[in-house]
Amino acid sequence: MTTTTATRHDRRMYAIMNRREMQALSRTAARRRAWVAAHIALTAASVALWLGSVHLGPLWMPFALLALVLPWCVAMGVINGATRGLLELRDRMLDERQLHERDRVRAIAHRISLGALFAGAAGTGLAAWLGGVRFDGALLFPALFALLVAHWMLPAWVACLRVQDDAPDEVAHAG
């Protein structure tokens, strides 16, 4: 970490992303997987509720969406804490190893997004060609919006799943 050019904001964000008190929530791979799974479920539910409120219009959907905001933010905070701010901190706050890992995470997430887009395109193409299904565009916006959100969130999920467990002596000193 290079602190010579770090701003007050940089130092504050670094401190938030590296709080020892929060590291127990994501200390093991099983815990990190559970947090990522919970975040994926909360994200999917939020997207479904938002799209439902836009397209279907029931009055209860925006309130249900608001109820998901706090748990979504907590889960995102745990993910950011598990990665120690890998995707949130500026370049000047990361060392070379972290910068390399961030590039690697983004590359993996990009490949996953590309695979999802390819599968979606191939699936709709096959459905139209072999099944005679006509796509009128009613599902185009929801599908594209869901893919956009997945593309946006994938780097955080991948980064959290790639975090290595702390060495046993580091865990003893952290507790």
Side-chain angles (χ1 to χ4, degrees):
M1 175 182 69
T2 307
T3 56
T4 55
T5 59
T7 65
R8 192 170 90 185
H9 172 75
D10 291 331
R11 289 188 299 274
R12 176 77 176 129
M13 290 303 295
Y14 182 85
I16 289 170
M17 298 291 172
N18 288 278
R19 291 181 60 175
R20 289 227 180 258
E21 305 87 33
M22 297 301 293
Q23 290 175 2
L25 293 172
S26 61
R27 187 161 286 141
T28 65
R31 288 181 190 173
R32 290 188 298 275
R33 284 191 301 268
W35 280 106
V36 169
H39 195 263
I40 289 170
L42 289 165
T43 301
S46 298
V47 167
L49 283 170
W50 184 79
L51 288 169
S53 68
V54 168
H55 292 288
L56 303 175
L59 293 177
W60 61 268
M61 283 188 169
F63 295 107
L65 180 59
L66 284 174
L68 293 178
V69 169
L70 181 60
W72 187 92
C73 288
V74 169
M76 190 73 232
V78 171
I79 289 171
N80 283 334
T83 64
R84 294 188 169 93
L86 185 70
L87 297 165
E88 301 300 323
L89 295 173
R90 296 179 190 177
D91 290 355
R92 62 178 157 240
M93 297 304 291
L94 302 174
D95 60 30
E96 285 184 35
R97 181 195 55 80
Q98 291 168 315
L99 291 170
H100 177 73
E101 178 63 13
R102 184 172 64 185
D103 290 343
R104 182 78 179 129
V105 161
R106 287 178 175 162
I108 292 168
H110 175 76
R111 284 189 209 113
I112 294 169
S113 291
L114 180 63
L117 286 168
F118 180 79
T124 54
L126 283 173
W129 184 46
L130 298 176
V133 177
R134 287 201 57 213
F135 294 96
D136 62 359
L139 293 178
L140 184 61
F141 175 75
L144 289 175
F145 184 75
L147 282 170
L148 171 70
V149 171
H151 178 76
W152 173 41
M153 290 286 105
L154 266 167
W157 298 334
V158 169
C160 189
L161 293 174
R162 285 181 52 87
V163 170
Q164 299 296 310
D165 289 343
D166 290 333
D169 60 337
E170 291 178 20
V171 172
H173 295 308

